[in-house]
Amino acid sequence: MISDDKKEEVRAAADIVEVVQDYVKLKRSGSGFVGLCPYHDEKTPSFNVTPRLQIFKCFGCGESGDVFKFVMDQEGVGFTEAVRQLAERYGVFIPEDENDVPSETTQLREGILHALKFAGVFYYRNLIENPEAEKARKYLQDRGYGREVYKKFGLGYAPSGGEELWKAAQNAGIDEQYLAEADLIKPSNRGNGFYDSFRGRLMFPIFNPTGKVIAFAGRVLGQEKTAKYINSSQTKVYNKSEVVYGVNFAKNEIRKHKEVILVEGYTDVITLMEHDIANVVASSGTSLTPGQMKILHRYGERIVMIYDSDDAGQTAMKRGINIALAEGMEVQLLELPENQDPDSFVKQFGKESFEELKKEEALDFVDFLLHKAGDEGRLDKPTETPKVITEILESIANIGDSIQRQVYVQYLHQKMQKFQKVKETDLYEQLERVMNDKRWEEKRAQKREEARQRINEPVENSPINGGTNDEPPHPGFRTERAQSSRKKPHFEKELIRLMISYGREMVEYICSFTNSKLFEDEELRMFYEDIIERYKKEEDFSIKLYSGESEPFPRLVGDVTLEQHSASERHAEIVGLKYEKDKNPYKTAKSSIRASQISFYRRKLNELADRIATAEGDERLKLMERQKDVKSKLTRRETSDPDDLYPDPEKGVSNEVNEKVFTYKMKGEE
């Protein structure tokens, strides 16, 4: 046990303001500090820290306590571990002694963190000592990194053998459960033992704001046909959507400058920091998320985004603008000279040139989007200019403060006068339409989430949950068993299969003739809407991704991709022809679209017949006219060939199954 004297020594040494500022952006208010509460979402700061009393108190949710409680809550550790963390941070020596018995959850988290720390040391030693790591050392040397950089950033090397980390951890007495929970090892397919998750890669440890290793990123060093980087999977200590690479090194400099520089790569961060540009972070190998932006907003008010000049980089930058504006940050964009990234630019021209370029060339998001549209020639085309205006208004719509939105609309109006005369009132009307669309999309997303939860929620009164056989199920809920036992329309499954197998071009084609109302099956309708949302956000929607999502997606993927019957190889030998399911994927799509529309119009006719039976007067006449129209549409689809109903796409699609998201854009979505 840690003695009371030692606890008080640690409490006296710890600066509660400094500790809290690792998680909350604080502003001085009288004799204390205030900020947005980390325990609940709020827009107006009600979280108070009083240095004199060494306590915090939120007047919104009621949470309060001392520096130990704050660390326990934010780090998910027990009291003893919180004291030891603070003692280590503030240089207070605590002798090893019997600790309090931690809870099961705390013990698991601490075990995972211990395994990750061990792995970090293991990888570092291999980088320094292992002859196999020569290629990693050569790569780092070519980038100008010496051993002091290895040590500062914890760089390492994962041996290629496949079991070295696992065996070393076993010898050190580390429980395999902790290694597996940390995603450092995976169960062997052979049924016994494990293998290392990272093999033959240069390793970048990812730290939380307090400097603990919580994950790794591994970079391939040769020309292998594999992902350039792989990252640790989500764990109990690592949520990749809320982690920013380098924030542990950069947080104090971000506070000092009130500005964070966001780059794409791990080496960009390291090189800039080695050239004394220390307020820099990267988005940890993922697309920028609201959670990551929330982290950055704790430390700074302004964000300067630097992305690659390729299409993927520019798309990511535009998406990042909206996320930053929604978080309430001031946004600037910096485009480096052609064929330069932050790493190469700073090495070639130095810190002063970088700072000067940032000062002179960094643009406000409105200026940047207009500048990009001008470079693309879009502002010279009468048909494109309204689209550019709408895109900028879509960004402005993300700003929470109404006065700020008004200022930016006025600024856009002023800037547009040199290209096209636009009334300010028209801009406000269009902004209102954009915001209404945004609210509608948010409501749709909420309904989809509610539908997903309904699908997954068990029936309380079903026999498998203790009810009796004669008790009817709740009308709003279904068990997974009930959902999966109902036969899903083959053509609806085919549409989903084609979309997740062939990527963005196929989604564009199918969506030009369909919408979610065509789907009779509730689960497939939800699946369809989820794919569309991911498409719009330019996120992955592959078979691989959905197979790893929560239920019902893995089950639905199996349902739409696996067939009970398929043509045998023997049959191919006999008839001399090999059956290819998707020899022409678009032909399959046309047939499935036609079948879906036929099914939809038949359901409509049944629905109209029921309504006509009870309607009177003008309403009955209108319904009969509608019935006639639907019959006409149904007859056309029943009697026409799919090739006559649906034109061929402008662009073909390969027969390769989609494992990555293509960058092809929908027609009209510039």
Side-chain angles (χ1 to χ4, degrees):
M1 300 290 286
I2 300 174
S3 69
D4 290 342
D5 288 343
K6 279 294 179 183
K7 293 173 189 173
E8 291 309 311
E9 185 180 351
V10 173
R11 192 195 308 276
D15 182 345
I16 191 171
V17 174
E18 185 176 71
V19 172
V20 171
Q21 278 185 322
D22 283 340
Y23 302 88
V24 180
K25 186 173 63 179
L26 297 175
K27 292 183 179 180
R28 182 170 286 281
S29 176
S31 60
F33 295 82
V34 297
L36 295 174
C37 180
Y39 290 92
H40 78 289
D41 288 331
E42 62 177 6
K43 300 295 184 183
T44 304
S46 60
F47 184 81
N48 288 253
V49 179
T50 307
R52 182 175 61 83
L53 300 175
Q54 286 284 290
I55 61 170
F56 68 88
K57 167 74 177 179
C58 176
F59 291 96
C61 67
E63 283 287 348
S64 63
D66 60 6
V67 68
F68 298 137
K69 183 175 188 302
F70 187 83
V71 172
M72 289 167 64
D73 292 342
Q74 301 306 314
E75 290 287 317
V77 298
F79 177 78
T80 301
E81 176 60 19
V83 176
R84 289 190 180 278
Q85 280 190 27
L86 290 169
E88 183 179 353
R89 177 171 180 170
Y90 289 100
V92 178
F93 173 72
I94 295 181
E96 291 296 330
D97 204 343
E98 271 191 52
N99 296 338
D100 293 334
V101 178
S103 68
E104 189 175 333
T105 302
T106 299
Q107 187 174 353
L108 178 58
R109 284 180 58 90
E110 291 179 3
I112 294 170
L113 291 170
H114 178 64
L116 289 161
K117 185 176 180 180
F118 174 86
V121 174
F122 173 83
Y123 293 140
Y124 174 75
R125 285 179 176 166
N126 270 273
L127 178 62
I128 301 295
E129 301 167 2
N130 193 336
E132 182 192 320
E134 179 57 35
K135 56 185 177 181
R137 293 191 289 269
K138 178 71 166 56
Y139 171 83
L140 295 171
Q141 182 183 343
D142 291 345
R143 285 192 168 269
Y145 301 154
R147 288 204 175 188
E148 67 283 356
V149 174
Y150 304 177
K151 186 174 182 180
K152 177 179 177 181
F153 294 94
L155 305 183
Y157 178 75
S160 58
E163 295 181 345
E164 278 85 343
L165 173 63
W166 173 42
K167 289 177 178 176
Q170 276 187 311
N171 292 334
I174 296 178
D175 194 317
E176 287 171 347
Q177 180 193 1
Y178 299 144
L179 295 166
E181 288 278 1
D183 194 35
L184 294 168
I185 61 173
K186 299 181 188 297
S188 171
N189 294 328
R190 295 191 295 269
N192 61 333
F194 294 85
Y195 65 90
D196 296 346
S197 299
F198 297 95
R199 303 177 299 282
R201 289 178 179 263
L202 174 65
M203 301 300 290
F204 295 83
I206 298 171
F207 302 92
N208 69 5
T210 61
K212 284 180 178 286
V213 179
I214 55 174
F216 289 94
R219 188 193 193 282
V220 71
L221 291 163
Q223 300 300 318
E224 298 92 335
K225 291 184 178 179
T226 185
K228 184 177 178 181
Y229 280 95
I230 59 172
N231 283 59
S232 297
S233 301
Q234 204 99 328
T235 70
K236 288 181 172 59
V237 300
Y238 175 54
N239 182 348
K240 62 181 69 179
S241 66
E242 296 181 358
V243 173
V244 186
Y245 179 74
V247 72
N248 57 306
F249 302 110
K251 60 189 179 185
N252 290 330
E253 286 297 313
I254 296 172
R255 287 193 192 107
K256 178 179 173 183
H257 295 280
K258 296 182 179 179
E259 172 187 277
V260 57
I261 300 169
L262 179 70
V263 296
E264 287 194 88
Y266 301 111
T267 54
D268 291 328
V269 171
I270 293 172
T271 297
L272 264 62
M273 287 191 173
E274 287 302 291
H275 285 78
D276 295 326
I277 304 167
N279 57 324
V280 58
V281 299
S283 56
S284 198
T286 64
S287 299
L288 194 63
T289 67
Q292 290 171 326
M293 194 60 67
K294 194 177 186 74
I295 297 290
L296 297 178
H297 200 191
R298 290 175 182 171
Y299 307 111
E301 296 287 345
R302 179 172 62 254
I303 184 168
V304 180
M305 298 183 185
I306 308 174
Y307 281 89
D308 290 345
S309 57
D310 59 18
D311 289 342
Q314 293 302 301
T315 299
M317 183 183 281
K318 290 176 182 178
R319 186 168 57 245
I321 289 171
N322 294 343
I323 293 172
L325 291 173
E327 179 56 32
M329 295 189 77
E330 178 188 341
V331 183
Q332 290 188 331
L333 298 308
L334 177 61
E335 198 168 21
L336 297 179
E338 194 173 353
N339 299 322
Q340 293 277 8
D341 56 29
D343 173 71
S344 61
F345 183 90
V346 172
K347 283 176 181 172
Q348 185 174 349
F349 301 106
K351 175 185 177 181
E352 290 74 18
S353 295
F354 178 83
E355 296 285 5
E356 183 179 347
L357 181 75
K358 181 162 70 74
K359 182 179 179 181
E360 298 294 329
E361 300 293 334
L363 297 174
D364 178 271
F365 78 93
V366 172
D367 290 317
F368 173 79
L369 293 174
L370 285 174
H371 170 71
K372 294 301 294 183
D375 284 350
E376 294 163 1
R378 297 176 66 195
L379 293 174
D380 299 327
K381 301 175 183 177
T383 56
E384 286 296 311
T385 304
K387 295 178 184 177
V388 173
I389 293 172
T390 299
E391 288 167 10
I392 296 174
L393 289 172
E394 285 172 351
S395 291
I396 293 174
N398 285 280
I399 300 173
D401 185 88
S402 59
I403 295 177
Q404 271 195 316
R405 287 200 302 270
Q406 182 178 337
V407 168
Y408 274 113
V409 171
Q410 292 169 352
Y411 185 66
L412 175 61
H413 174 253
Q414 175 191 337
K415 287 287 181 178
M416 282 304 304
Q417 297 313 301
K418 66 175 82 169
F419 304 108
Q420 187 171 318
K421 300 295 181 184
V422 180
K423 293 180 181 178
E424 191 172 318
T425 53
D426 291 340
L427 292 181
Y428 280 114
E429 287 176 6
Q430 180 63 6
L431 176 64
E432 186 59 34
R433 282 192 287 270
V434 167
M435 293 187 72
N436 284 335
D437 289 344
K438 187 169 180 288
R439 295 184 195 105
W440 183 74
E441 284 292 341
E442 289 170 353
K443 286 181 180 178
R444 281 190 64 197
Q446 184 180 353
K447 286 182 179 178
R448 271 199 310 278
E449 183 59 32
E450 290 171 355
R452 188 180 306 178
Q453 290 174 1
R454 281 201 307 272
I455 289 166
N456 286 326
E457 188 166 337
V459 179
E460 294 178 6
N461 292 327
S462 68
I464 60 171
N465 286 305
T468 59
N469 284 320
D470 57 359
E471 290 177 322
H474 192 287
F477 299 90
R478 295 176 175 85
T479 62
E480 184 177 306
R481 184 178 299 175
Q483 273 287 317
S484 57
S485 64
R486 180 186 301 160
K487 192 170 181 180
K488 299 180 184 300
H490 175 71
F491 41 84
E492 293 184 11
K493 293 197 295 183
E494 280 290 86
L495 291 176
I496 298 297
R497 181 185 67 80
L498 291 166
M499 292 165 81
I500 62 177
S501 296
Y502 294 100
R504 299 182 69 82
E505 296 100 325
M506 183 60 76
V507 170
E508 176 191 2
Y509 184 75
I510 288 175
C511 289
S512 61
F513 301 107
T514 65
N515 59 49
S516 61
K517 292 179 181 178
L518 284 183
F519 285 80
E520 183 179 10
D521 186 88
E522 184 179 335
E523 286 187 322
L524 294 179
R525 186 189 314 126
M526 180 270 294
F527 204 155
Y528 176 92
E529 291 176 342
D530 196 83
I531 293 170
I532 301 307
E533 278 304 303
R534 289 177 181 274
Y535 177 96
K536 290 179 180 178
K537 296 176 181 177
E538 300 193 10
E539 295 176 350
D540 185 15
F541 49 83
S542 64
I543 293 172
K544 183 177 179 181
L545 175 117
Y546 280 116
S547 296
E549 289 287 292
S550 59
E551 277 297 324
F553 288 116
R555 169 169 53 80
L556 292 176
V557 167
D559 202 8
V560 303
T561 58
L562 301 179
E563 296 179 314
Q564 185 175 1
H565 305 288
S566 60
S568 69
E569 293 292 329
R570 178 66 180 150
H571 178 266
E573 291 175 12
I574 293 171
V575 301
L577 292 171
K578 184 177 180 180
Y579 172 71
E580 293 185 44
K581 182 179 179 67
D582 288 337
K583 187 174 182 180
N584 183 341
Y586 284 113
K587 196 170 187 68
T588 309
K590 291 178 183 181
S591 297
S592 300
I593 293 168
R594 175 176 173 268
S596 296
Q597 291 181 342
I598 288 172
S599 175
F600 172 77
Y601 287 125
R602 285 174 178 170
R603 296 197 307 272
K604 271 290 171 192
L605 285 178
N606 290 335
E607 177 190 318
L608 287 168
D610 290 341
R611 293 174 63 187
I612 289 170
T614 58
E616 296 178 355
D618 290 343
E619 183 188 358
R620 181 182 174 85
L621 291 175
K622 287 179 182 178
L623 289 172
M624 292 176 70
E625 280 295 316
R626 175 69 179 138
Q627 185 183 49
K628 182 180 177 182
D629 179 56
V630 171
K631 280 182 179 178
S632 173
K633 290 176 178 177
L634 175 61
T635 301
R636 180 168 179 263
R637 280 154 182 80
E638 287 178 328
T639 58
S640 300
D641 188 90
D643 287 329
D644 297 329
L645 291 169
Y646 316 109
D648 289 330
E650 296 176 5
K651 189 172 181 178
V653 66
S654 71
N655 284 349
E656 293 181 6
V657 172
N658 169 44
E659 290 298 346
K660 293 184 180 178
V661 178
F662 299 103
T663 55
Y664 185 86
K665 290 181 179 291
M666 275 194 181
K667 213 171 178 183
E669 284 191 4
E670 300 293 339

